Amino acid sequence: LYIEATLNNLFGNNKSAVFSRIGTAAYCVGQQVNWSQGAFDEDGDSLHYEFTQPLDDVNNPISYTTGFSVQQPISTSSGVSLNHRTGDMIFTPISAEVDVIKVTVNEFRNDGSGVYNLIGRVTRDVQLIISSQCDTNVSNFHVGVLDSGSTTAVVTEIGCNQPTLNLKTSVAVECGSIDPTGTDFAII
């Protein structure tokens, strides 16, 4: 997968927009997906999201199989919708597959006279795994012990679409959020 960024500092200091969500995701066939690309710009510049051609190296585009395109990169029941202002993607996959899309975030700054200038761009290729092996009837994960050999975690409570997850571990856990609101919490 390929990532690139471009900055134009002719309009003042600028920090690149940052994706606050991971670039790999797994979803289930037949289940509607609402997936935020979650980019954040520390300077408060206006962000505009779009699909662009994925690359595997500089100026080397990845070809789509017949029936797929930059704007339709996934087998869906009604297309892929990308909100250009928020970066939210909505789609319902209809077949198991591994897809690659490229999301570009263009960064614009108002020059004070009402003109918005392109001052930055950040892109990333995203790999989506669509599985038909999902148990969509499960409303809660199993409570119990997760053992990876050197660490043990006891899951005491977790539910699908629930705001809490309680774990007791035998080692210290590194965690944090790169989203200023703390809504993108991750255990590392």
Side-chain angles (χ1 to χ4, degrees):
L1 298 178
Y2 183 77
I3 300 170
E4 68 181 10
T6 305
L7 290 175
N8 176 354
N9 287 326
L10 295 176
F11 296 96
N13 291 335
N14 184 35
K15 293 183 180 173
S16 179
V18 176
F19 287 101
S20 61
R21 305 278 193 261
I22 61 171
T24 303
Y27 298 108
C28 301
V29 169
Q31 298 296 305
Q32 181 173 314
V33 174
N34 296 295
W35 184 32
S36 172
Q37 295 306 298
F40 172 76
D41 183 67
E42 187 176 321
D43 302 314
D45 297 315
S46 297
L47 302 180
H48 179 270
Y49 298 81
E50 64 182 330
F51 290 132
T52 51
Q53 182 70 46
L55 304 173
D56 67 4
D57 202 352
V58 176
N59 298 321
N60 191 18
I62 295 173
S63 299
Y64 281 102
T65 303
T66 302
F68 295 91
S69 68
V70 169
Q71 299 305 317
Q72 185 57 44
I74 304 165
S75 298
T76 67
S77 58
S78 59
V80 179
S81 169
L82 175 64
N83 184 309
H84 297 289
R85 189 179 55 80
T86 65
D88 293 341
M89 289 175 53
I90 300 173
F91 60 94
T92 302
I94 59 172
S95 66
E97 55 196 37
V98 176
D99 301 303
V100 175
I101 62 172
K102 182 176 185 174
V103 177
T104 296
V105 180
N106 295 300
E107 186 180 358
F108 293 90
R109 183 172 294 165
N110 187 331
D111 69 2
S113 69
V115 174
Y116 283 84
N117 297 289
L118 179 65
I119 61 166
R121 174 178 291 129
V122 62
T123 68
R124 72 171 177 183
D125 291 355
V126 178
Q127 185 176 33
L128 300 174
I129 301 166
I130 311 297
S131 176
S132 61
Q133 303 298 312
C134 301
D135 185 353
T136 57
N137 296 318
V138 175
S139 61
N140 289 295
F141 292 94
H142 297 287
V143 174
V145 177
L146 305 172
D147 191 349
S148 68
S150 61
T151 41
T152 302
V154 179
V155 180
T156 59
E157 178 185 352
I158 182 173
C160 295
N161 298 315
Q162 299 300 315
T164 60
L165 162 66
N166 295 323
L167 292 173
K168 294 181 182 177
T169 68
S170 61
V171 296
V173 176
E174 292 183 38
C175 57
S177 175
I178 59 175
D179 189 298
T181 65
T183 58
D184 190 30
F185 180 77
I187 295 175
I188 304 165

